[in-house]
Amino acid sequence: MALAFDEFGRPFIILKEQEQKSRLRGLDAQKANISAGKAVARILRTSLGPKGMDKMLQSPDGDVIITNDGATILEQMDVDNQIAKLMVELSRSQDYEIGDGTTGVVVMAGALLEQAERLLERGIHPIRVAEGYEMASRIAVDHLENIAKKFEFGPTDLEPLIQTCMTTLSSKIVNRCKRSLAEIAVKAVLAVADLERKDVNLDLIKVEGKVGGKLEDTELIYGIVVDKDMSHPQMPKRIEDAKIAILTCPFEPPKPKTKHKVDIDTVEKFQTLRKQEQQYFDDMVQKCKDVGATLVICQWGFDDEANHLLMHRNLPAVRWVGGVELELIAIATGGRIVPRFQELSPEKLGKAGLVREKSFGTTKDRMLYIEHCANSRAVTIFTRGGNKMIIEETKRSLHDALCVARNLIRNNSIVYGGGSAEISCSIAVEAAADRYPGVEQYAIRAFGDALEAIPMALAENSGLQPIETLSAVKSQQIKDNNPNFGIDCNDVGTNDMREQNVFETLIGKQQQILLATQVVKMILKIDDVISPSEF
């Protein structure tokens, strides 16, 4: 694109290779962008809430993913349109920051775009719509603060945390055993949480899965599970009070870094070389024995000779353990990772109360459990399931639950779920609209209407009459002045979300509203789209 001036000094734009470009301007560009955003939101709308549907996505190489998680659905979809990509990023940023509410945030953005389209058709300028949305989002976020409840929990009273995690899990495929999974998630987070600093490092929670068994067999292990077995079949399968040497150096004779050649012309020289090598192995194994190690975990492999020697010296060993797992083992057992045999010393060994090898079913699959560690700040959630897709979805669901528990430790305010918070915000926004005299008033009212898209989608997905249900709940909220009434998705018989124990985190809800508003403002401000035309 170039800017030129004619003889009267009037500027005009020259588009290079015009025949290869297409250009949309003004209202047409905004309408095209809005319809792209709405299309993405429409896909996710049906998977919102406890009765939401799952999506099945097939990747180009034939892998199948079945999921209900908004961020995963959009990640796996091959999106070409730039505006649709913005929606994918919106969902991703909600996933990174909060971990939960990835579907709701896209549905919300889609509803805001839909309302904006109507305002643009009436001739309201997009910037005025964007400013009105910004004002309305502030009103909604402040109102959420007012209706939020704080709840106290301690190491003994975990029920509030578990209830909130159960709300998250109820919309997933694993909802039939949501109670046990929520308990596992909460216990795992509390095991690694630093309650003084109100911080949780989720890297210390490892989620492993193994096909076979049933979903109910999922367990929390206060320690590490490694998908490896002992390097020699005759090594002991159970070691109590293990002292673990964690090595990143291979059990092999050292090889010079430079190019080298060894000339052997007599049998004696060959014997000497062989003895020398054997001596190396002997020294290595002896060094491990001398510092008192009863188990060696090595990042690299070792030859059969070393394996044989370790077996004879009663020193069980595990080889080919990945770097991340080594770090977790070191954190859990309080050991140090040792890069050279010369640096081994008794204080660098990790301690674990029990190391055992467990085999599964008839498949000869074995895993190593390292439990009762000196420092139990690293834990593993071990999931089981009928097939790979269920296990992957369980891992994603657990990730959401872990994130919710972490958010509650950071900020223990909650709002009630089931669309009740959105309906309450919508009422507050509509009431506040009268205080604004300008054109923005229309945008603020539209924002209030858009907030109702989430309860509407919840009612629709649950097979209820959407408009009838929503208006009944809204009138009930206004009549009783009680923001706890929401959509009764599970047909329990009461609309009071407090009785149903449906909670959501306050920071998650606020983030949803703020992120959706930001993205919609950005889309509304685009009035010219120049793109290479497709041949």
Side-chain angles (χ1 to χ4, degrees):
M1 202 159 74
L3 185 66
F5 296 90
D6 63 9
E7 64 268 30
F8 300 110
R10 287 180 302 216
F12 59 92
I13 288 172
I14 301 170
L15 282 179
K16 292 175 186 167
E17 301 169 349
Q18 278 190 53
E19 72 285 354
Q20 291 176 21
K21 291 203 168 65
S22 61
R23 185 175 183 190
L24 276 174
R25 305 176 60 179
L27 201 57
D28 288 343
Q30 276 144 355
K31 283 195 172 169
N33 292 344
I34 286 172
S35 66
K38 275 163 51 183
V40 174
R42 210 172 296 126
I43 294 168
L44 289 194
R45 194 184 161 94
T46 52
S47 58
L48 187 73
K51 296 277 190 286
M53 296 300 198
D54 289 2
K55 305 278 181 260
M56 184 168 171
L57 301 143
Q58 189 170 6
S59 66
D61 52 0
D63 281 351
V64 175
I65 292 176
I66 298 176
T67 181
N68 189 299
D69 182 48
T72 313
I73 295 170
L74 292 180
E75 288 273 321
Q76 300 298 327
M77 269 170 36
D78 198 10
V79 181
D80 275 345
N81 187 294
Q82 296 308 315
I83 299 298
K85 279 183 183 164
L86 278 180
M87 301 296 259
V88 175
E89 280 174 20
L90 163 72
S91 167
R92 194 185 301 151
S93 55
Q94 175 80 9
D95 195 29
Y96 287 166
E97 189 60 31
I98 303 294
D100 185 34
T102 49
T103 313
V105 72
V106 177
V107 172
M108 171 97 197
L112 286 171
L113 287 171
E114 205 169 312
Q115 293 293 337
E117 191 172 21
R118 291 178 192 166
L119 295 176
L120 294 179
E121 280 169 355
R122 288 186 194 166
I124 296 175
H125 195 279
I127 294 295
R128 305 301 290 270
V129 176
E131 281 170 1
Y133 276 1
E134 185 61 38
M135 292 171 187
S137 74
R138 263 187 246 127
I139 297 164
V141 167
D142 293 343
H143 181 68
L144 280 173
E145 288 276 356
N146 298 336
I147 62 169
K149 300 267 185 296
K150 277 203 180 310
F151 60 46
E152 299 307 321
F153 58 85
T156 47
D157 178 29
L158 304 179
E159 198 54 37
L161 284 172
I162 292 170
Q163 293 288 359
T164 316
C165 286
M166 278 166 67
T167 305
T168 303
L169 291 170
S170 61
S171 66
K172 312 283 187 217
I173 206 166
V174 296
N175 62 359
R176 65 192 171 90
C177 45
K178 62 183 177 187
R179 172 84 208 184
S180 61
L181 286 177
E183 283 176 11
I184 284 173
V186 169
K187 284 176 184 165
V189 167
L190 284 176
V192 302
D194 185 344
L195 291 175
E196 272 102 56
R197 279 177 45 229
K198 292 196 168 183
D199 189 34
V200 180
N201 182 2
L202 289 184
D203 291 343
L204 297 176
I205 302 173
K206 186 173 166 221
V207 184
E208 274 283 336
K210 199 84 170 158
V211 175
K214 29 184 214 306
L215 204 53
E216 285 83 354
D217 295 341
T218 299
E219 56 182 336
L220 174 66
I221 295 136
Y222 289 99
I224 302 293
V225 174
V226 187
D227 197 357
K228 297 279 180 258
D229 51 0
M230 296 294 184
S231 61
H232 197 291
Q234 287 172 305
M235 284 177 181
K237 302 281 182 263
R238 183 187 176 91
I239 307 160
E240 291 182 6
D241 295 327
K243 291 192 173 60
I244 305 171
I246 306 166
L247 304 175
T248 54
C249 43
F251 265 95
E252 286 169 2
K255 295 182 177 70
K257 295 272 192 299
T258 53
K259 284 188 176 177
H260 62 286
K261 200 164 86 179
V262 180
D263 285 330
I264 297 174
D265 45 11
T266 63
V267 176
E268 286 76 25
K269 280 186 183 172
F270 181 70
Q271 294 285 11
T272 322
L273 184 71
R274 208 172 146 276
K275 272 200 184 125
Q276 188 71 36
E277 277 199 0
Q278 208 166 357
Q279 189 58 42
Y280 267 125
F281 285 132
D282 259 352
D283 289 351
M284 287 171 185
V285 177
Q286 199 51 50
K287 273 184 187 131
C288 296
K289 289 292 277 187
D290 289 345
V291 293
T294 55
L295 172 67
V296 175
I297 293 181
C298 186
Q299 188 173 7
W300 306 105
F302 24 86
D303 349 25
D304 293 342
E305 193 167 347
N307 206 356
H308 171 80
L309 260 172
L310 285 164
M311 163 67 206
H312 269 281
R313 297 285 182 87
N314 288 333
L315 190 58
V318 186
R319 55 183 162 185
W320 299 121
V321 177
V324 179
E325 287 171 334
L326 270 189
E327 282 173 21
L328 280 174
I329 292 169
I331 291 168
T333 59
R336 294 279 188 86
I337 296 176
V338 181
R340 291 188 203 88
F341 284 101
Q342 289 79 8
E343 292 180 17
L344 262 176
S345 61
E347 59 273 9
K348 288 184 180 173
L349 298 180
K351 294 178 182 60
L354 175 65
V355 177
R356 60 195 172 96
E357 191 177 289
K358 187 175 175 185
S359 54
F360 296 97
T362 55
T363 53
K364 299 196 179 68
D365 265 352
R366 294 194 185 87
M367 291 181 100
L368 204 64
Y369 282 49
I370 302 171
E371 297 174 292
H372 311 310
C373 302
N375 168 20
S376 63
R377 288 294 295 276
V379 296
T380 305
I381 299 174
F382 187 54
T383 61
R384 306 300 307 277
N387 56 37
K388 192 165 161 241
M389 287 173 244
I390 290 266
I391 284 182
E392 290 304 317
E393 181 62 1
T394 309
K395 282 185 184 176
R396 282 190 287 270
S397 309
L398 276 167
H399 171 260
D400 282 12
L402 293 170
C403 288
V404 166
R406 180 194 64 182
N407 293 338
L408 280 176
I409 285 173
R410 283 186 179 170
N411 177 351
N412 62 349
S413 301
I414 52 143
V415 290
Y416 290 97
S420 62
E422 281 88 352
I423 296 172
S424 180
C425 283
S426 160
I427 295 167
V429 168
E430 280 170 18
D434 298 337
R435 297 203 301 272
Y436 293 89
V439 179
E440 283 87 356
Q441 191 186 72
Y442 287 106
I444 294 172
R445 285 190 198 288
F447 191 95
D449 292 342
L451 279 167
E452 292 172 4
I454 288 188
M456 189 93 106
L458 283 174
E460 214 171 291
N461 293 345
S462 307
L464 306 166
Q465 295 288 333
I467 296 171
E468 206 176 291
T469 315
L470 179 63
S471 48
V473 171
K474 197 170 174 181
S475 67
Q476 203 175 358
Q477 274 209 23
I478 294 170
K479 194 170 75 187
D480 298 0
N481 195 14
N482 179 357
N484 303 348
F485 291 119
I487 307 289
D488 178 18
C489 297
N490 291 328
D491 225 13
V492 178
T494 170
N495 278 339
D496 193 341
M497 293 295 136
R498 196 183 206 152
E499 285 175 38
Q500 283 203 31
N501 286 330
V502 177
F503 311 125
E504 293 191 50
T505 52
L506 168 69
I507 46 177
K509 269 277 171 277
Q510 286 179 330
Q511 186 81 2
Q512 267 189 359
I513 291 176
L514 291 172
L515 280 177
T517 313
Q518 279 170 14
V519 166
V520 170
K521 271 177 67 181
M522 195 170 162
I523 292 173
L524 288 177
K525 283 186 174 179
I526 299 169
D527 77 330
D528 203 338
V529 180
I530 300 169
S531 53
S533 62
E534 275 118 39
F535 292 109

